[in-house]
Amino acid sequence: MRTRIHPYPAAVLATIRRRRLLSPGDRVLVALSGGPDSTALLAALAELRDTGCLPSTGLAALNVDHGLRPGGAEDAAAASAICERLGIPFEAVRVTVAPGNVQSEARRARYAALRAAATRAGATRIATGHTRTDQAETVLLRLMRGAGARGLSGIPPRRGPIVRPLIDRSREEGLEYLAARGIPWRADPTNATPRFARNRLRLELWPALTALAPAAERAIARAADLAREDERALSRLARALAGDGASVALETLRGATPAVRRRVVRRLWARATGQRGSLEARHVEAILSLVRRERPGKVTLPGGRLARCRYGRLELLPSERAPEAGTLAPIEVRGPGRYALPEHRCAVEIECLREGAVPWPLALRTRRPGDRWRPDGGRGSKTLKRWLIDRKVPRERRDGLVLLARGAEVVAIPELAAVGSGFGPTGAGLAVHLVSDP
């Protein structure tokens, strides 16, 4: 066991403590591609473990092969060898990337594989190798797309079980650490192709920027932290105005600042659809134009969904194509996965961090008399009907809601992105979302 710790893992430990990324007893699954960032992360965490700085933290690693380029098997073999050297349990999986945006779909498949592996390994945290360099690149790319505070806050150091211990360290620091420890890593040849915007920024724009401002990376990452703090403050105000219902009073919304109004609209959208990223700025502005009017109206949104002002309230409905009440035949759910709902022209995606805490099998169905519901963090159980009425969910929408249930107990409401008591992040870690499936 080493008694002296290298400055790099010492700095990583400072980030873990300052940003509260890990708690005593956490078991960490490291996303290990075999590249320099993830390898530096694994080695740093292993050194912190071996020197007693993280004495109760267990480690495991997962390599995900997306099948998008040659060399995946070699990457996995190299990652396996590093784990054997460091005394860390290792697993490799291959995933299928769905058609569409390659980077987006690969990311989706990768994180799904990581969550599944975390469950198998009993991990409570998933650590990725995102660095300060990645942070600065991300902020610049989003700035060029005209992002607001949420986008410019960049990569969060922690989101749910995902933690990023290298977020305050540069890629260069990681390379120097690996060289000092004599730890090999694999280069990804796709990082040199100009096909992707991030690569073009990295190869063409970044050298010119750092020549002009050598401390640009650190300054941009600092700006991301400040933007994240501002975003949190504005989001708290928006959460207080939006409440936890399916609509908001127009008078309340009109009295808020534009920044808060936009966030209220996005919260209603996420609650109505289970999605965040598909509502573009132009859609938000169209809704706010509707809010400013003095008469009822509606705006059609992505996926055929609807924003409507009436009776002094703004409400976001999941779809104009909602089926008649009671048309969904129960679908058995034996575990996480994607379940198609052809009658509703959509699907339900189910993820779970701790599968053993969920009383499988469950059922996807519509509302029935006597259904009981207690949202995660809520007080007391009540009938689902009363809960929906209290939150002013329109009558025509209630019976068409898709539910995840066990008997009369409602476990989750995908269209509202809500889970029942004991199934949230501190319990089973259940995440249930309604997604478009034309």
Side-chain angles (χ1 to χ4, degrees):
M1 178 181 291
R2 296 190 186 98
T3 56
R4 295 185 62 185
I5 184 171
H6 188 280
Y8 183 77
V12 172
L13 179 62
T15 292
I16 291 172
R17 289 173 173 170
R18 181 168 65 87
R19 296 187 182 271
R20 300 178 182 179
L21 302 185
L22 299 178
S23 301
D26 273 338
R27 182 171 177 80
V28 181
L29 176 72
V30 177
L32 181 63
S33 68
D37 298 339
S38 63
T39 303
L41 170 63
L42 186 78
L45 292 178
E47 185 164 341
L48 292 173
R49 175 202 62 188
D50 295 343
T51 54
C53 296
L54 294 175
S56 61
T57 301
L59 295 176
L62 177 75
N63 175 268
V64 180
D65 181 1
H66 302 89
L68 297 175
R69 62 175 178 81
E74 290 80 0
D75 289 344
S80 177
I82 292 168
C83 286
E84 184 175 359
R85 169 177 169 176
L86 298 176
I88 296 172
F90 173 78
E91 181 185 2
V93 298
R94 181 161 181 165
V95 297
T96 300
V97 177
N101 182 292
V102 174
Q103 289 183 312
S104 176
E105 293 301 329
R107 187 182 305 110
R108 186 192 303 273
R110 178 169 63 255
Y111 277 101
L114 285 166
R115 289 187 175 93
T119 299
R120 292 193 296 272
T124 51
R125 294 287 181 265
I126 298 170
T128 67
H130 291 95
T131 64
R132 189 178 68 201
T133 307
D134 293 311
Q135 182 73 289
E137 293 170 353
T138 298
V139 172
L140 284 177
L141 287 169
R142 293 180 180 177
L143 180 63
M144 290 186 287
R145 292 200 297 265
R150 184 169 181 268
L152 297 181
S153 66
I155 306 168
R158 175 174 178 173
R159 176 176 288 167
I162 310 297
V163 295
R164 298 177 171 102
L166 303 188
I167 202 66
D168 297 324
R169 309 268 56 85
S170 70
R171 179 169 295 121
E172 189 63 31
E173 288 176 277
L175 289 169
E176 292 172 358
Y177 172 61
L178 293 175
R181 290 293 187 232
I183 299 174
W185 50 272
R186 297 269 298 175
D188 182 351
T190 63
N191 287 338
T193 176
R195 176 184 176 188
F196 302 116
R198 184 178 291 268
N199 290 351
R200 294 197 299 273
L201 182 150
R202 186 178 295 165
L203 299 172
E204 300 170 17
L205 177 59
W206 193 251
L209 182 62
T210 52
L212 178 65
E217 180 182 298
R218 186 185 300 274
I220 294 171
R222 171 61 178 162
D225 281 344
L226 294 174
R228 192 177 308 111
E229 291 175 5
D230 291 348
E231 173 63 24
R232 287 172 179 165
L234 291 168
S235 292
R236 281 194 293 269
L237 293 174
R239 184 165 57 247
L241 288 182
D244 57 0
S247 64
V248 64
L250 292 175
E251 183 179 358
T252 298
L253 196 55
R254 289 168 182 156
T257 63
V260 174
R261 289 180 204 167
R262 287 193 291 270
R263 285 161 177 80
V264 169
V265 167
R266 291 191 179 279
R267 289 189 68 83
L268 293 178
W269 169 261
R271 190 174 298 142
T273 67
Q275 303 177 25
R276 287 185 178 272
S278 56
L279 191 69
E280 299 177 10
R282 60 188 177 91
H283 301 131
V284 174
E285 292 308 313
I287 295 171
L288 293 180
S289 295
L290 183 66
V291 168
R292 289 190 290 269
R293 294 169 55 178
E294 297 297 331
R295 60 185 185 275
K298 62 182 180 180
V299 171
T300 301
L301 301 173
R305 295 175 175 88
L306 188 70
R308 181 166 59 191
C309 288
R310 64 173 184 172
Y311 305 123
R313 301 192 71 82
L314 167 69
E315 56 184 348
L316 267 67
L317 308 178
S319 177
E320 288 188 292
R321 303 175 300 183
E324 294 297 323
T327 60
L328 177 63
I331 297 173
E332 187 176 52
V333 175
R334 291 193 169 274
R338 185 184 180 100
Y339 295 84
L341 307 177
E343 302 95 332
H344 287 232
R345 301 181 188 179
C346 63
V348 173
E349 285 189 349
I350 301 174
E351 298 176 350
C352 186
L353 190 58
R354 290 170 283 278
E355 292 187 43
V358 178
W360 314 103
L362 304 174
L364 286 168
R365 59 171 177 81
T366 43
R367 190 164 65 101
R368 295 174 180 170
D371 280 343
R372 304 289 299 181
W373 168 247
R374 179 182 179 185
D376 193 49
R379 296 181 179 178
S381 174
K382 62 173 65 176
T383 66
L384 177 63
K385 178 180 178 180
R386 172 50 56 190
W387 187 82
L388 294 173
I389 290 173
D390 289 346
R391 278 143 190 83
K392 297 181 173 55
V393 177
R395 179 183 299 174
E396 64 270 18
R397 185 181 172 198
R398 296 173 205 152
D399 287 340
L401 284 174
V402 176
L403 309 174
L404 183 65
R406 185 173 188 265
E409 178 192 5
V410 177
V411 173
I413 308 175
E415 294 177 47
L416 304 183
V419 297
S421 180
F423 297 102
T426 59
L430 189 67
V432 185
H433 301 291
L434 196 69
V435 297
S436 297
D437 193 18

